[in-house]
Amino acid sequence: MNELPFFQNGSPHVARTVAISTADQIQGARAIGKARAAKKIEENDRVALKKSELYSFLWSSCDELRGGMDASQYKDYVLSLLFIRYISDKYADVPYAPITVPKGASFADMVALKGTADIGDQINKKIIAPLAAANQQLSQADFPDFNEASKLGDGKEKVQKLTNLIAIFEDPALDFSSNRADGDDILGDAYEYLMRHFASESGKSKGQFYTPAEVSRIMAQIIGIRQAQTSAKTTVYDPTCGSGSLLLKVADEAGTNVTLYGQEKDSATSGLARMNMILHNTPTALITQGNTLVDPKFKDGDTLKTFDYVVANPPFSDKRWSTGLDPLHDEHDRFKTFGIPPAKQGDYAYLLHIIRSLRSTGKGACILPHGVLFRGNAEAEIRRNLVRKGYIKGIIGLPANLFYGTGIPACIVVVDKEDAQARKGIFMIDASQGFMKDGPKNRLRSQDIHKIVDAFTRHTDIAGFSRMVPFAEIEKNDFNLNLPRYIDSQKQEDRQDIEGHLRGGIPQADIDALQPYWAVCPALKKALFKERRPGYVELTIEKTAIKSAIFDHPEFVAFTQGMNKHFDAWRVRTAEKLKALKPGHHPKEVIFDLSEDLLAHYTGKPLISKYDVYQHLMDYWAEVMQDDCYLIAADGWKAQTYRITEKDKKGREKDRGWACDLVPKSLIVARYFGDERAAIDEIAADLESVASTIAELEEEQSAEDGAFTALEKINRANVAARLKEIKGDKEAKDEVGTLNEWLKLSGREADLKKKITEAEAALDLAAYKKYRQLSEAEIKVLAVDDKWLAVIDARIRGEMDRISQVLAQRVRVLAERYAVRLPDLVSNVAQLEVKVGEHLKRMGFSW
């Protein structure tokens, strides 16, 4: 996701940012879209469009086109429609707007073309051509051909497809003109959401236009632009900008508006980048099209223009980098000082272009394959020269399979020319182990991003993760920068102690490895173990009592209670901040403040990882809280209800009840109608008991000669008919009793079901009426205390439970591993062998 610069009240304003995982939003977009389409807002009240619902609208437009072309093609149509709708809402009829929307070329004029026989040709001529002509930063080549029969079909097929596509974007909920939270760049985030999808669906050959947002966020933060004194004169450059997401992430980190420059080889992708800049309220960014290595567009006279910051994600191992270029006589002197890259490996060509494009105090970051760290020959010489020059400030190894263009692991090479000669080493991070699975790809989590940035910016030595490597050590390794030479990030295998297996007893070393627990609960260690012999211990309790012995130990109970109080302190001050949110607030600033405060609150706490706690908050933000905050930013503290309708196969609408996004009905019931809910639950328990009794009776009496044997199906009609049939039959006395008992239970079951239905309806109506009576203060309590903070509290308590379970499980594993000595096992096997032999002899077998 993107969080980017924007203007507020005519002045530059930059939102503080935090990296947020969007996996849940991505997976649920289509379902949300269906739900949104089913909403009927009551009394014509407007309910703000949730961020995740915007994503679903856009993905619905993809569904309209998906059958006719692949993602690399239909993305151009969808993003163009998003762009035209956005600029029409935002800038049409606005004097001195950064984008001009000519009369007759707005989205409304496009809507007027729906259903016309030549709709595609008219969009090209009446909408796109005037827009391109009126805006210097746009060209008609930036847009796809809306009259392309090979992609959109012919005749009625094309008319229907384009008409349906326009209709999706015509939805009144997509009103960008009055978006009160526009500072948080909802449109830019939606654009990034689509780009991620398109990159994923396009596959290896066509997904390189997009740098994963999480990686972009790391690069933007580690180059230090946030801490710098920036202004509009500060320049940021991406020589292989793709769709522009990496450039925008850097701009987002700056404390002021900065000037952006980008060059992209592919003409269609450069057009997407220009649209991306406009959608992110950065219309003055300069995006050019062309081959950066052969024909760099940004120059000062005949020399390359230099910049304050340069970032790039160039194509990995570009085999054609030198096509059209004579590296030996490069007019820009990019390869003269450090060496000429191999003809079939272009990675260092792009890195040297970046270095040449940096000012004397410039800073940069480049994504490259791991091979650049250790490959030999010409690349080894370039690497040696760069290290000796002091330009490489850091190297960050990333997990494999992050990028859409390749599955190989990559690294970020951080370059800093300032004080290069005084540099004493290279700060290295091996972050290859921290990620989550997201479909076929891996994704960095919020906590992974934060940990990387924290370690790099503070130069923190973390065992198995990060350290400063002095140049002397690098020189001893012949300037090989392969991270495993300097950082061992592999988890140690759980070792088996031979003496422990031979003689029994848990090795003291395994117990000492749990020292973080014993530091918190020193007496617990003594309560669990006693010495068996020097260097080995054994349990003082039965293995079945391990868990209770840990969880019930006074020190552990005190620790858990202390951690709960620790969270409560954060909860109290956070509740006050959240309840103070006003319409028009910026949700990204909210989550930045909350998450950083929570991270600081848990820094230095024993056993629990501050990054794990942080991740719980970020996950809940992405799942629920983000949408809620955008609703409040748009409409204030309103608990707006809406009807849920569904259409059957014949197109008839069916009412499925009502709901409220900010304050779900369950919260209203729990706080105001607890007695009613308890009464219903009591009836439900009675119903479950009766149903269980009926099921047992039916199972018992369905066997041969049972009371229900003669019935084809057990129901009231058949039971009543059977009773009538055997009326007066003295031999059927038991059967009559069973059938009457069944009827009684069935009647009881029906009565209970009716009571539950009536009680649920009454509770539903009471809860519905309660919404109209809620004060703003009550809504805040429901949303903040009962919903948001209650969930976060539960998840962090769950993290504490997990930590407790880890200790109990480890103690059990060790106890079971060394419970039986090897000689005892041998003896047991011998005894069993004798028993088996005797048994076989009794059966008549001998050998």
Side-chain angles (χ1 to χ4, degrees):
M1 297 173 64
N2 260 340
E3 308 83 28
L4 302 149
F6 60 91
F7 285 90
Q8 182 181 29
N9 298 328
S11 61
H13 181 83
V14 180
R16 286 174 292 175
T17 61
V18 65
I20 301 168
S21 172
T22 58
D24 292 329
Q25 296 165 334
I26 290 171
Q27 293 170 357
R30 292 179 189 169
I32 293 170
K34 291 178 181 178
R36 177 73 196 190
K39 285 185 180 181
K40 278 195 172 181
I41 311 304
E42 299 175 346
E43 299 178 6
N44 297 316
D45 287 342
R46 183 179 72 86
V47 171
L49 181 68
K50 294 198 292 185
K51 197 168 192 178
S52 53
E53 292 173 345
L54 171 59
Y55 295 167
S56 73
F57 271 116
L58 302 180
W59 203 238
S60 297
S61 65
C62 301
D63 286 331
E64 189 63 40
L65 294 171
R66 190 169 283 108
M69 62 194 89
D70 65 34
S72 66
Q73 295 174 325
Y74 68 69
K75 77 176 190 301
D76 300 333
Y77 291 94
V78 174
L79 294 174
S80 294
L81 262 291
L82 171 63
F83 176 76
I84 293 170
R85 172 68 197 257
Y86 174 77
I87 62 172
S88 296
D89 286 352
K90 199 79 173 175
Y91 300 125
D93 300 322
V94 176
Y96 309 110
I99 296 296
T100 301
V101 181
K103 293 291 185 182
S106 68
F107 182 77
D109 298 301
M110 186 183 285
V111 170
L113 297 175
K114 288 195 308 179
T116 57
D118 58 346
I119 182 173
D121 187 52
Q122 291 297 309
I123 291 175
N124 287 340
K125 292 178 179 177
K126 293 185 176 181
I127 308 297
I128 294 174
L131 278 173
N135 296 279
Q136 185 178 0
Q137 62 268 60
L138 297 175
S139 74
Q140 189 144 1
D142 294 341
F143 298 87
D145 183 357
F146 280 81
N147 203 34
E148 179 61 62
S150 63
K151 296 177 181 178
L152 298 169
D154 285 312
K156 292 183 178 179
E157 181 186 1
K158 182 196 299 179
V159 173
Q160 188 66 42
K161 189 168 288 188
L162 289 175
T163 297
N164 292 345
L165 185 61
I166 293 170
I168 292 170
F169 284 89
E170 192 183 359
D171 193 296
L174 291 173
D175 180 8
F176 305 127
S177 61
S178 57
N179 175 20
R180 296 177 69 177
D182 63 349
D184 280 274
D185 209 7
I186 296 176
L187 259 293
D189 289 350
Y191 190 90
E192 289 294 314
Y193 163 85
L194 288 174
M195 296 298 275
R196 182 191 296 277
H197 271 290
F198 294 141
S200 179
E201 292 205 354
S202 294
K204 182 175 181 180
S205 63
K206 298 170 183 175
Q208 295 180 357
F209 58 81
Y210 177 73
T211 302
E214 297 82 10
V215 179
S216 297
R217 178 60 60 203
I218 291 172
M219 296 174 71
Q221 294 186 45
I222 61 176
I223 59 176
I225 195 170
R226 174 177 288 185
Q227 294 76 29
Q229 296 293 322
T230 58
S231 68
K233 294 181 179 180
T234 303
T235 55
V236 183
Y237 169 53
D238 185 343
T240 57
C241 69
S243 59
S245 60
L246 181 51
L247 264 180
L248 288 164
K249 290 294 192 301
V250 177
D252 187 21
E253 284 296 317
T256 62
N257 289 320
V258 294
T259 303
L260 305 182
Y261 298 82
Q263 184 166 340
E264 168 56 36
K265 183 177 181 180
D266 183 80
S267 59
T269 305
S270 65
L272 292 179
R274 280 187 282 273
M275 292 185 202
N276 202 4
M277 298 298 146
I278 294 169
L279 287 171
H280 286 87
N281 278 336
T282 315
T284 57
L286 299 174
I287 306 295
T288 63
Q289 188 268 320
N291 186 323
T292 293
L293 295 180
V294 176
D295 182 23
K297 299 294 186 182
F298 299 108
K299 301 178 185 178
D300 285 329
D302 294 330
T303 62
L304 283 181
K305 182 178 178 62
T306 56
F307 304 89
D308 297 302
Y309 300 92
V310 181
V311 289
N313 177 19
F316 286 2
S317 303
D318 187 354
K319 293 178 173 57
R320 301 175 183 173
W321 72 272
S322 60
T323 302
L325 176 68
D326 181 3
L328 190 60
H329 301 95
D330 178 40
E331 62 179 300
H332 304 297
D333 293 332
R334 290 170 289 187
F335 316 115
K336 180 178 179 180
T337 303
F338 300 101
I340 298 175
K344 300 298 183 182
Q345 297 283 1
D347 300 310
Y348 273 107
Y350 290 100
L351 183 59
L352 294 177
H353 176 83
I354 289 173
I355 290 172
R356 184 68 180 82
S357 300
L358 282 170
R359 290 176 178 165
S360 60
T361 57
K363 298 165 176 59
C366 183
I367 301 170
L368 295 169
H370 262 293
V372 301
L373 303 179
F374 55 80
R375 290 195 297 247
N377 301 318
E379 291 188 314
E381 182 64 23
I382 296 172
R383 188 167 57 246
R384 181 181 294 107
N385 292 332
L386 285 172
V387 172
R388 284 175 171 166
K389 191 72 172 177
Y391 281 170
I392 299 179
K393 180 180 182 179
I395 298 170
I396 301 171
L398 299 171
N401 204 26
L402 286 182
F403 297 88
Y404 296 101
T406 179
I408 66 173
C411 64
I412 301 173
V413 176
V414 186
V415 177
D416 189 353
K417 284 188 175 182
E418 188 172 16
D419 299 326
Q421 294 302 318
R423 196 158 284 128
K424 302 300 183 182
I426 297 176
F427 191 77
M428 296 187 182
I429 295 178
D430 186 345
S432 59
Q433 304 302 312
F435 61 90
M436 62 175 279
K437 293 295 294 181
D438 183 16
K441 307 302 291 183
N442 293 331
R443 288 273 302 282
L444 293 172
R445 299 164 296 180
S446 298
Q447 64 172 313
D448 301 321
I449 299 168
H450 216 301
K451 185 177 180 180
I452 291 170
V453 173
D454 284 351
F456 190 88
T457 54
R458 299 167 187 170
H459 280 192
T460 307
D461 280 12
I462 302 173
F465 184 75
S466 61
R467 61 178 286 240
M468 175 62 76
V469 181
F471 286 140
E473 185 177 348
I474 294 172
E475 190 167 357
K476 285 181 180 179
N477 282 281
D478 197 23
F479 296 92
N480 186 316
L481 300 178
N482 199 18
L483 292 172
R485 286 179 177 250
Y486 307 99
I487 300 173
D488 183 7
S489 64
Q490 299 301 315
K491 292 183 179 179
Q492 291 186 350
E493 293 185 7
D494 193 8
R495 71 186 187 93
Q496 301 285 334
D497 187 277
I498 295 177
E499 183 180 342
H501 284 298
L502 289 173
R503 300 180 60 191
I506 302 170
Q508 184 66 48
D510 285 328
I511 305 303
D512 292 342
L514 299 171
Q515 181 56 33
Y517 288 95
W518 313 139
V520 174
C521 306
L524 175 60
K525 179 180 176 181
K526 295 178 181 178
L528 291 174
F529 306 104
K530 64 182 179 180
E531 186 178 52
R532 178 165 180 157
R533 64 181 182 279
Y536 294 85
V537 300
E538 61 186 7
L539 281 178
T540 61
I541 56 176
E542 295 296 324
K543 290 194 292 290
T544 55
I546 291 174
K547 185 175 179 179
S548 59
I550 293 173
F551 282 44
D552 296 340
H553 192 275
E555 287 181 339
F556 204 85
V557 170
F559 170 70
T560 303
Q561 291 174 344
M563 292 303 294
N564 290 340
K565 289 180 180 178
H566 186 69
F567 175 80
D568 289 340
W570 181 83
R571 179 174 182 160
V572 169
R573 69 170 182 261
T574 300
E576 184 178 351
K577 293 177 184 177
L578 290 173
K579 290 174 183 177
L581 294 179
K582 304 292 184 184
H585 76 263
H586 300 296
K588 286 175 187 173
E589 291 186 351
V590 172
I591 188 55
F592 178 88
D593 291 339
L594 288 183
S595 61
E596 291 301 311
D597 186 38
L598 184 64
L599 200 63
H601 192 65
Y602 277 89
T603 297
K605 288 299 168 184
L607 297 183
I608 193 166
S609 164
K610 64 180 181 180
Y611 293 110
D612 287 336
V613 173
Y614 170 84
Q615 188 65 43
H616 284 300
L617 172 60
M618 300 311 296
D619 287 344
Y620 184 61
W621 174 263
E623 294 163 15
V624 174
M625 198 172 167
Q626 174 181 232
D627 278 339
D628 287 349
C629 284
Y630 275 98
L631 290 176
I632 295 166
D635 294 330
W637 293 90
K638 293 182 180 179
Q640 178 66 58
T641 58
Y642 57 86
R643 305 303 299 182
I644 303 174
T645 62
E646 290 182 3
K647 288 187 178 181
D648 60 20
K649 294 180 179 179
K650 296 182 179 180
R652 294 175 298 193
E653 287 190 350
K654 292 188 176 181
D655 193 322
R656 298 299 185 189
W658 57 274
C660 177
D661 289 328
L662 183 61
V663 181
K665 181 171 71 174
S666 59
L667 297 181
I668 294 286
V669 171
R671 179 164 283 273
Y672 298 106
F673 302 100
D675 292 342
E676 291 83 348
R677 181 76 264 171
I680 293 174
D681 290 343
E682 187 175 338
I683 298 172
D686 290 343
L687 176 60
E688 184 177 353
S689 176
V690 171
S692 177
T693 303
I694 291 174
E696 291 174 4
L697 182 63
E698 290 177 353
E699 182 178 3
E700 178 185 336
Q701 294 294 326
S702 293
E704 188 175 354
D705 297 330
F708 300 122
T709 304
L711 301 182
E712 182 177 344
K713 186 177 181 181
I714 304 175
N715 55 36
R716 293 187 65 86
N718 288 343
V719 170
R722 178 61 179 167
L723 282 171
K724 186 176 181 180
E725 180 182 335
I726 60 176
K727 185 177 181 181
D729 187 345
K730 295 182 180 180
E731 296 183 358
K733 182 178 179 181
D734 291 341
E735 182 180 354
V736 169
T738 299
L739 295 177
N740 279 323
E741 182 183 0
W742 185 93
L743 280 177
K744 182 180 178 181
L745 288 169
S746 178
R748 173 67 174 159
E749 182 182 41
D751 288 342
L752 290 172
K753 286 182 177 179
K754 182 179 179 183
K755 285 183 178 180
I756 288 178
T757 300
E758 292 173 348
E760 288 282 13
L763 177 58
D764 187 77
L765 180 60
Y768 179 75
K769 289 181 178 179
K770 184 64 180 178
Y771 278 93
R772 301 298 182 184
Q773 303 167 10
L774 292 174
S775 66
E776 183 174 296
E778 288 176 312
I779 293 173
K780 289 179 178 181
V781 169
L782 288 162
V784 175
D785 296 328
D786 296 0
K787 185 181 182 183
W788 299 342
L789 294 178
V791 172
I792 296 169
D793 186 8
R795 294 191 182 188
I796 293 177
R797 287 175 188 265
E799 184 63 26
M800 288 302 305
D801 289 342
R802 184 191 66 79
I803 292 168
S804 307
Q805 296 286 356
V806 167
L807 175 60
Q809 181 63 23
R810 181 58 179 168
V811 171
R812 176 180 288 277
V813 166
L814 291 172
E816 292 177 346
R817 177 180 296 169
Y818 300 107
V820 183
R821 301 180 308 133
L822 183 59
D824 296 333
L825 287 174
V826 173
S827 176
N828 291 340
V829 170
Q831 293 175 19
L832 291 172
E833 185 177 4
V834 171
K835 289 182 179 179
V836 171
E838 292 174 350
H839 185 66
L840 289 172
K841 285 180 181 180
R842 287 196 299 270
M843 296 173 65
F845 296 98
S846 61
W847 59 94

